[in-house]
Amino acid sequence: MNPVPNPAEGLEGPEGAAIEPPPPAAVMCFNASEPSGASGVAGDVATVAAMGAHALPVVTSIVMRDTADIFDQHDIDPDVVAEQARTILEDVTIAGWKVGFLGSADNVSAVAEVLSDYTEIPLVTHLPNLGWMDEDQLQPYLDAFRELILPATEVLVGNHKTLQDFLLPEWDSERPPSARELAVAASEHGTRFVLVTGIALVAKGPEQFIDNVLASPQGALAGEKFERFDTSFVGAGDTLSAALAALLATGVELQAAVSEALSFLDQSLDAGFRPGMGHVVPDRFFWALPPPEEGDDDGHPGGDGGEPDPEPEAPAPKGAPRRVH
């Protein structure tokens, strides 16, 4: 994940003029702003940058939260949301969309109208747990989201329980729905794929594992099984979805992008840090940390917090002062 020298750097044009290297892929991220820096547009900007792309953040709401809890939110006017997006879209060519929390049903409509003018650009949509919203706000928001955002979505990303409640609210079987069944439900609204995280697996020993599965209505396409952490995180879902959006924007094939995004999330969580008294924040720049000194503890920070809980495929670079033990 370290920066790669640009092959155009140092080259000259036919008349001796320097050739300007191509810019990184631009990803427009519609999301809330929140002061912890763990999720929302702050998390999107950090993640997209870490993946080598450039984020264009559009603020849709101001969420009042710390690293432990959400207390309130204030919507941004829908016209202001649309104006933010259209102002930069007249200047910058984008290669990907990421939709997170949009704040209100009116903002969902405003964002959907912008998306409708760029249907060829892949959209990754993250549906967070919105159980903290008042019911009179939540239901109109989810209805608008289902009707207006899902038809434009290439990949819907969310925790298994969150997606079940959203896509299959009448599910009454004793067993939870499979990733394929969630994909079938999403496809009825126009979504092509779902990336379902936090699927509990039956423990076959002292370790507990969870599964993360990319699925279409035809079945599971890819997935990664990880050992469950023991510490709660904030911002994991935004990290995964923003990483996936950045990878798709740079032209990575879907299944490979999902695998790399899950690995990136896992290592970000493994290197996570606790800036306050609440949950652990993913470190999206784990790869820039100094190598561990000999004898460093290699324990995981742990946790799920309603988001995916992967285990790294390979040890991530660790800086002892920022590790969570």
Side-chain angles (χ1 to χ4, degrees):
M1 203 83 57
N2 292 319
V4 178
N6 194 298
E9 189 173 351
L11 297 181
E12 294 185 349
E15 298 181 2
I19 297 176
E20 185 173 333
V27 180
M28 180 164 285
C29 302
F30 295 94
N31 214 340
S33 175
E34 55 91 353
S36 80
S39 60
V41 290
D44 289 343
V45 168
T47 302
V48 170
M51 303 306 294
H54 177 65
L56 305 174
V58 174
V59 178
T60 58
S61 171
I62 307 295
V63 171
M64 305 303 173
R65 73 160 304 151
D66 57 19
T67 59
D69 296 301
I70 296 175
F71 305 101
D72 197 4
Q73 69 130 340
H74 300 278
D75 296 338
I76 303 295
D77 184 273
D79 290 339
V80 175
V81 172
E83 186 177 359
Q84 290 177 78
R86 295 200 183 279
T87 298
I88 194 64
L89 286 168
E90 292 177 1
D91 176 44
V92 177
T93 300
I94 67 166
W97 304 106
K98 186 270 171 91
V99 161
F101 178 55
L102 302 181
S104 68
D106 287 341
N107 284 354
V108 170
S109 180
V111 170
E113 187 174 346
V114 174
L115 296 174
S116 67
D117 292 334
Y118 301 84
T119 56
E120 74 283 1
I121 305 298
L123 167 62
V124 175
T125 297
H126 172 231
L127 183 67
N129 182 347
L130 299 176
W132 53 271
M133 291 183 71
D134 293 335
E135 185 62 28
D136 59 345
Q137 294 178 315
L138 177 60
Q139 200 54 53
Y141 178 86
L142 293 179
D143 290 344
F145 203 87
R146 189 180 293 108
E147 179 182 350
L148 299 175
I149 299 299
L150 290 193
T153 297
E154 179 83 1
V155 185
L156 175 63
V157 180
N159 176 266
H160 184 264
K161 183 64 167 64
T162 300
L163 291 184
Q164 176 182 335
D165 292 344
F166 176 58
L167 296 170
L168 295 170
E170 305 300 323
W171 185 265
D172 59 1
S173 172
E174 293 183 1
R175 65 167 182 83
S178 67
R180 187 194 71 81
E181 288 167 323
L182 291 171
V184 169
S187 73
E188 293 175 357
H189 302 283
T191 299
R192 295 187 62 195
F193 304 96
V194 294
L195 176 52
V196 187
T197 65
I199 302 173
L201 297 175
V202 177
K204 296 183 179 180
E207 297 87 5
Q208 289 187 325
F209 291 87
I210 57 107
D211 206 1
N212 307 282
V213 177
L214 173 71
S216 73
Q218 288 69 48
L221 301 174
E224 302 283 347
K225 182 179 74 171
F226 297 113
E227 187 176 352
R228 187 183 185 91
F229 288 141
D230 295 324
T231 298
S232 294
F233 295 93
V234 58
D238 274 329
T239 302
L240 176 61
S241 51
L244 180 58
L247 289 162
L248 294 178
T250 60
V252 179
E253 183 271 333
L254 177 59
Q255 293 186 38
V258 166
S259 179
E260 185 171 346
L262 285 167
S263 177
F264 176 83
L265 171 63
D266 170 53
Q267 295 178 80
S268 296
L269 299 184
D270 185 52
F273 56 94
R274 197 187 306 273
M277 297 181 289
H279 303 310
V280 174
V281 174
D283 190 340
R284 287 93 171 181
F285 293 94
F286 60 86
W287 45 269
L289 296 176
E293 295 185 9
E294 199 168 324
D296 272 359
D297 183 9
D298 193 32
H300 295 284
D304 69 351
E307 298 291 352
D309 306 315
E311 174 191 35
E313 296 177 352
K318 302 178 182 68
R322 298 174 67 181
R323 296 284 293 160
V324 178
H325 298 287

mmCIF file of all heavy atoms in Angstrom, residues 162-190:
data_model
loop_
_atom_site.group_PDB
_atom_site.id
_atom_site.type_symbol
_atom_site.label_atom_id
_atom_site.label_comp_id
_atom_site.label_asym_id
_atom_site.label_seq_id
_atom_site.Cartn_x
_atom_site.Cartn_y
_atom_site.Cartn_z
ATOM 1 N N THR A 162 -28.271 -5.938 10.238
ATOM 2 C CA THR A 162 -28.788 -4.685 9.698
ATOM 3 C C THR A 162 -29.443 -4.902 8.344
ATOM 4 O O THR A 162 -30.538 -4.383 8.077
ATOM 5 C CB THR A 162 -27.647 -3.654 9.581
ATOM 6 O OG1 THR A 162 -27.091 -3.412 10.880
ATOM 7 C CG2 THR A 162 -28.153 -2.342 9.004
ATOM 8 N N LEU A 163 -28.791 -5.680 7.480
ATOM 9 C CA LEU A 163 -29.362 -5.950 6.154
ATOM 10 C C LEU A 163 -30.610 -6.812 6.258
ATOM 11 O O LEU A 163 -31.566 -6.624 5.490
ATOM 12 C CB LEU A 163 -28.319 -6.619 5.265
ATOM 13 C CG LEU A 163 -27.137 -5.750 4.835
ATOM 14 C CD1 LEU A 163 -26.243 -6.512 3.876
ATOM 15 C CD2 LEU A 163 -27.599 -4.444 4.203
ATOM 16 N N GLN A 164 -30.624 -7.755 7.193
ATOM 17 C CA GLN A 164 -31.827 -8.574 7.365
ATOM 18 C C GLN A 164 -33.019 -7.697 7.758
ATOM 19 O O GLN A 164 -34.116 -7.821 7.194
ATOM 20 C CB GLN A 164 -31.597 -9.636 8.438
ATOM 21 C CG GLN A 164 -32.858 -10.462 8.746
ATOM 22 C CD GLN A 164 -32.645 -11.479 9.855
ATOM 23 O OE1 GLN A 164 -31.520 -11.919 10.095
ATOM 24 N NE2 GLN A 164 -33.722 -11.838 10.541
ATOM 25 N N ASP A 165 -32.819 -6.810 8.732
ATOM 26 C CA ASP A 165 -33.917 -5.949 9.182
ATOM 27 C C ASP A 165 -34.391 -5.018 8.071
ATOM 28 O O ASP A 165 -35.585 -4.700 7.989
ATOM 29 C CB ASP A 165 -33.465 -5.122 10.388
ATOM 30 C CG ASP A 165 -33.227 -5.975 11.627
ATOM 31 O OD1 ASP A 165 -33.697 -7.134 11.647
ATOM 32 O OD2 ASP A 165 -32.559 -5.497 12.557
ATOM 33 N N PHE A 166 -33.478 -4.604 7.204
ATOM 34 C CA PHE A 166 -33.815 -3.665 6.142
ATOM 35 C C PHE A 166 -34.457 -4.350 4.945
ATOM 36 O O PHE A 166 -35.478 -3.893 4.416
ATOM 37 C CB PHE A 166 -32.551 -2.938 5.713
ATOM 38 C CG PHE A 166 -32.725 -1.990 4.550
ATOM 39 C CD1 PHE A 166 -33.638 -0.956 4.619
ATOM 40 C CD2 PHE A 166 -31.968 -2.134 3.402
ATOM 41 C CE1 PHE A 166 -33.794 -0.063 3.548
ATOM 42 C CE2 PHE A 166 -32.111 -1.268 2.329
ATOM 43 C CZ PHE A 166 -33.033 -0.228 2.404
ATOM 44 N N LEU A 167 -33.863 -5.466 4.506
ATOM 45 C CA LEU A 167 -34.305 -6.124 3.284
ATOM 46 C C LEU A 167 -35.392 -7.167 3.515
ATOM 47 O O LEU A 167 -36.239 -7.384 2.647
ATOM 48 C CB LEU A 167 -33.105 -6.785 2.593
ATOM 49 C CG LEU A 167 -32.016 -5.842 2.091
ATOM 50 C CD1 LEU A 167 -30.789 -6.644 1.659
ATOM 51 C CD2 LEU A 167 -32.530 -4.985 0.938
ATOM 52 N N LEU A 168 -35.351 -7.823 4.665
ATOM 53 C CA LEU A 168 -36.310 -8.900 4.950
ATOM 54 C C LEU A 168 -36.936 -8.690 6.326
ATOM 55 O O LEU A 168 -36.774 -9.517 7.243
ATOM 56 C CB LEU A 168 -35.602 -10.261 4.883
ATOM 57 C CG LEU A 168 -35.059 -10.674 3.512
ATOM 58 C CD1 LEU A 168 -34.172 -11.903 3.634
ATOM 59 C CD2 LEU A 168 -36.209 -10.936 2.537
ATOM 60 N N PRO A 169 -37.658 -7.592 6.521
ATOM 61 C CA PRO A 169 -38.200 -7.285 7.855
ATOM 62 C C PRO A 169 -39.234 -8.308 8.341
ATOM 63 O O PRO A 169 -39.455 -8.416 9.554
ATOM 64 C CB PRO A 169 -38.839 -5.897 7.664
ATOM 65 C CG PRO A 169 -39.130 -5.802 6.197
ATOM 66 C CD PRO A 169 -38.013 -6.556 5.531
ATOM 67 N N GLU A 170 -39.826 -9.058 7.418
ATOM 68 C CA GLU A 170 -40.845 -10.041 7.811
ATOM 69 C C GLU A 170 -40.263 -11.444 7.968
ATOM 70 O O GLU A 170 -41.011 -12.419 8.091
ATOM 71 C CB GLU A 170 -41.966 -10.074 6.760
ATOM 72 C CG GLU A 170 -42.608 -8.720 6.480
ATOM 73 C CD GLU A 170 -43.228 -8.129 7.721
ATOM 74 O OE1 GLU A 170 -43.784 -8.899 8.531
ATOM 75 O OE2 GLU A 170 -43.148 -6.893 7.895
ATOM 76 N N TRP A 171 -38.941 -11.576 7.954
ATOM 77 C CA TRP A 171 -38.316 -12.889 8.049
ATOM 78 C C TRP A 171 -38.705 -13.561 9.365
ATOM 79 O O TRP A 171 -38.516 -13.003 10.454
ATOM 80 C CB TRP A 171 -36.796 -12.733 7.973
ATOM 81 C CG TRP A 171 -36.040 -14.037 7.943
ATOM 82 C CD1 TRP A 171 -35.498 -14.696 8.999
ATOM 83 C CD2 TRP A 171 -35.740 -14.833 6.790
ATOM 84 N NE1 TRP A 171 -34.879 -15.859 8.594
ATOM 85 C CE2 TRP A 171 -35.018 -15.969 7.238
ATOM 86 C CE3 TRP A 171 -36.016 -14.698 5.430
ATOM 87 C CZ2 TRP A 171 -34.558 -16.944 6.363
ATOM 88 C CZ3 TRP A 171 -35.562 -15.679 4.565
ATOM 89 C CH2 TRP A 171 -34.837 -16.789 5.028
ATOM 90 N N ASP A 172 -39.265 -14.773 9.279
ATOM 91 C CA ASP A 172 -39.728 -15.441 10.493
ATOM 92 C C ASP A 172 -39.166 -16.843 10.668
ATOM 93 O O ASP A 172 -39.611 -17.594 11.541
ATOM 94 C CB ASP A 172 -41.263 -15.491 10.519
ATOM 95 C CG ASP A 172 -41.836 -16.231 9.310
ATOM 96 O OD1 ASP A 172 -41.050 -16.721 8.479
ATOM 97 O OD2 ASP A 172 -43.082 -16.323 9.213
ATOM 98 N N SER A 173 -38.181 -17.205 9.855
ATOM 99 C CA SER A 173 -37.566 -18.518 10.007
ATOM 100 C C SER A 173 -36.659 -18.536 11.235
ATOM 101 O O SER A 173 -36.132 -17.497 11.654
ATOM 102 C CB SER A 173 -36.748 -18.867 8.754
ATOM 103 O OG SER A 173 -36.009 -20.050 8.953
ATOM 104 N N GLU A 174 -36.485 -19.727 11.813
ATOM 105 C CA GLU A 174 -35.583 -19.850 12.962
ATOM 106 C C GLU A 174 -34.128 -19.628 12.560
ATOM 107 O O GLU A 174 -33.321 -19.210 13.380
ATOM 108 C CB GLU A 174 -35.745 -21.226 13.608
ATOM 109 C CG GLU A 174 -37.109 -21.428 14.272
ATOM 110 C CD GLU A 174 -37.193 -22.769 14.968
ATOM 111 O OE1 GLU A 174 -36.183 -23.515 14.947
ATOM 112 O OE2 GLU A 174 -38.270 -23.063 15.533
ATOM 113 N N ARG A 175 -33.813 -19.921 11.312
ATOM 114 C CA ARG A 175 -32.439 -19.682 10.858
ATOM 115 C C ARG A 175 -32.332 -18.299 10.235
ATOM 116 O O ARG A 175 -33.308 -17.774 9.683
ATOM 117 C CB ARG A 175 -32.026 -20.732 9.823
ATOM 118 C CG ARG A 175 -32.814 -20.669 8.535
ATOM 119 C CD ARG A 175 -32.183 -21.487 7.422
ATOM 120 N NE ARG A 175 -32.945 -21.365 6.184
ATOM 121 C CZ ARG A 175 -32.821 -20.370 5.329
ATOM 122 N NH1 ARG A 175 -31.962 -19.386 5.569
ATOM 123 N NH2 ARG A 175 -33.549 -20.329 4.218
ATOM 124 N N PRO A 176 -31.176 -17.657 10.323
ATOM 125 C CA PRO A 176 -31.021 -16.346 9.687
ATOM 126 C C PRO A 176 -30.949 -16.496 8.170
ATOM 127 O O PRO A 176 -30.570 -17.558 7.660
ATOM 128 C CB PRO A 176 -29.690 -15.835 10.259
ATOM 129 C CG PRO A 176 -28.934 -17.084 10.626
ATOM 130 C CD PRO A 176 -29.975 -18.074 11.063
ATOM 131 N N PRO A 177 -31.306 -15.466 7.415
ATOM 132 C CA PRO A 177 -31.225 -15.567 5.958
ATOM 133 C C PRO A 177 -29.781 -15.654 5.492
ATOM 134 O O PRO A 177 -28.869 -15.099 6.120
ATOM 135 C CB PRO A 177 -31.882 -14.262 5.481
ATOM 136 C CG PRO A 177 -31.712 -13.314 6.623
ATOM 137 C CD PRO A 177 -31.805 -14.154 7.855
ATOM 138 N N SER A 178 -29.578 -16.363 4.393
ATOM 139 C CA SER A 178 -28.244 -16.471 3.822
ATOM 140 C C SER A 178 -27.898 -15.194 3.065
ATOM 141 O O SER A 178 -28.773 -14.363 2.770
ATOM 142 C CB SER A 178 -28.175 -17.663 2.866
ATOM 143 O OG SER A 178 -28.999 -17.424 1.734
ATOM 144 N N ALA A 179 -26.625 -15.062 2.721
ATOM 145 C CA ALA A 179 -26.200 -13.913 1.917
ATOM 146 C C ALA A 179 -26.921 -13.912 0.570
ATOM 147 O O ALA A 179 -27.301 -12.853 0.059
ATOM 148 C CB ALA A 179 -24.690 -13.938 1.726
ATOM 149 N N ARG A 180 -27.130 -15.097 -0.017
ATOM 150 C CA ARG A 180 -27.843 -15.168 -1.299
ATOM 151 C C ARG A 180 -29.277 -14.690 -1.147
ATOM 152 O O ARG A 180 -29.801 -13.964 -2.012
ATOM 153 C CB ARG A 180 -27.832 -16.604 -1.840
ATOM 154 C CG ARG A 180 -28.416 -16.707 -3.257
ATOM 155 C CD ARG A 180 -28.717 -18.140 -3.642
ATOM 156 N NE ARG A 180 -29.853 -18.661 -2.899
ATOM 157 C CZ ARG A 180 -31.136 -18.429 -3.203
ATOM 158 N NH1 ARG A 180 -31.451 -17.657 -4.224
ATOM 159 N NH2 ARG A 180 -32.100 -18.954 -2.481
ATOM 160 N N GLU A 181 -29.945 -15.062 -0.050
ATOM 161 C CA GLU A 181 -31.323 -14.624 0.157
ATOM 162 C C GLU A 181 -31.401 -13.111 0.351
ATOM 163 O O GLU A 181 -32.352 -12.462 -0.103
ATOM 164 C CB GLU A 181 -31.921 -15.363 1.354
ATOM 165 C CG GLU A 181 -32.210 -16.830 1.033
ATOM 166 C CD GLU A 181 -32.494 -17.670 2.260
ATOM 167 O OE1 GLU A 181 -31.852 -17.443 3.307
ATOM 168 O OE2 GLU A 181 -33.354 -18.573 2.165
ATOM 169 N N LEU A 182 -30.403 -12.536 0.997
ATOM 170 C CA LEU A 182 -30.356 -11.081 1.121
ATOM 171 C C LEU A 182 -30.118 -10.442 -0.245
ATOM 172 O O LEU A 182 -30.687 -9.386 -0.558
ATOM 173 C CB LEU A 182 -29.261 -10.672 2.107
ATOM 174 C CG LEU A 182 -29.524 -11.025 3.577
ATOM 175 C CD1 LEU A 182 -28.276 -10.780 4.414
ATOM 176 C CD2 LEU A 182 -30.697 -10.217 4.122
ATOM 177 N N ALA A 183 -29.266 -11.083 -1.063
ATOM 178 C CA ALA A 183 -29.006 -10.561 -2.406
ATOM 179 C C ALA A 183 -30.262 -10.615 -3.275
ATOM 180 O O ALA A 183 -30.518 -9.702 -4.071
ATOM 181 C CB ALA A 183 -27.870 -11.339 -3.064
ATOM 182 N N VAL A 184 -31.039 -11.677 -3.128
ATOM 183 C CA VAL A 184 -32.301 -11.777 -3.870
ATOM 184 C C VAL A 184 -33.228 -10.632 -3.472
ATOM 185 O O VAL A 184 -33.844 -9.978 -4.329
ATOM 186 C CB VAL A 184 -32.971 -13.141 -3.615
ATOM 187 C CG1 VAL A 184 -34.402 -13.141 -4.154
ATOM 188 C CG2 VAL A 184 -32.165 -14.260 -4.258
ATOM 189 N N ALA A 185 -33.333 -10.375 -2.174
ATOM 190 C CA ALA A 185 -34.201 -9.290 -1.701
ATOM 191 C C ALA A 185 -33.705 -7.942 -2.205
ATOM 192 O O ALA A 185 -34.509 -7.086 -2.607
ATOM 193 C CB ALA A 185 -34.257 -9.302 -0.179
ATOM 194 N N ALA A 186 -32.381 -7.734 -2.206
ATOM 195 C CA ALA A 186 -31.820 -6.464 -2.688
ATOM 196 C C ALA A 186 -32.044 -6.315 -4.191
ATOM 197 O O ALA A 186 -32.308 -5.208 -4.684
ATOM 198 C CB ALA A 186 -30.336 -6.388 -2.361
ATOM 199 N N SER A 187 -31.944 -7.419 -4.919
ATOM 200 C CA SER A 187 -32.105 -7.359 -6.376
ATOM 201 C C SER A 187 -33.512 -6.951 -6.784
ATOM 202 O O SER A 187 -33.717 -6.394 -7.862
ATOM 203 C CB SER A 187 -31.747 -8.718 -7.000
ATOM 204 O OG SER A 187 -32.751 -9.690 -6.731
ATOM 205 N N GLU A 188 -34.486 -7.220 -5.936
ATOM 206 C CA GLU A 188 -35.857 -6.809 -6.224
ATOM 207 C C GLU A 188 -35.991 -5.285 -6.268
ATOM 208 O O GLU A 188 -36.960 -4.757 -6.813
ATOM 209 C CB GLU A 188 -36.805 -7.396 -5.181
ATOM 210 C CG GLU A 188 -36.898 -8.918 -5.263
ATOM 211 C CD GLU A 188 -37.741 -9.512 -4.146
ATOM 212 O OE1 GLU A 188 -38.201 -8.730 -3.276
ATOM 213 O OE2 GLU A 188 -37.933 -10.739 -4.134
ATOM 214 N N HIS A 189 -35.006 -4.593 -5.695
ATOM 215 C CA HIS A 189 -34.987 -3.128 -5.731
ATOM 216 C C HIS A 189 -33.922 -2.607 -6.697
ATOM 217 O O HIS A 189 -33.702 -1.398 -6.758
ATOM 218 C CB HIS A 189 -34.735 -2.578 -4.334
ATOM 219 C CG HIS A 189 -35.748 -3.019 -3.323
ATOM 220 N ND1 HIS A 189 -37.014 -2.475 -3.251
ATOM 221 C CD2 HIS A 189 -35.690 -3.984 -2.359
ATOM 222 C CE1 HIS A 189 -37.693 -3.069 -2.284
ATOM 223 N NE2 HIS A 189 -36.913 -3.990 -1.728
ATOM 224 N N GLY A 190 -33.263 -3.518 -7.429
ATOM 225 C CA GLY A 190 -32.307 -3.098 -8.442
ATOM 226 C C GLY A 190 -30.845 -3.209 -8.077
ATOM 227 O O GLY A 190 -29.977 -2.933 -8.910
#
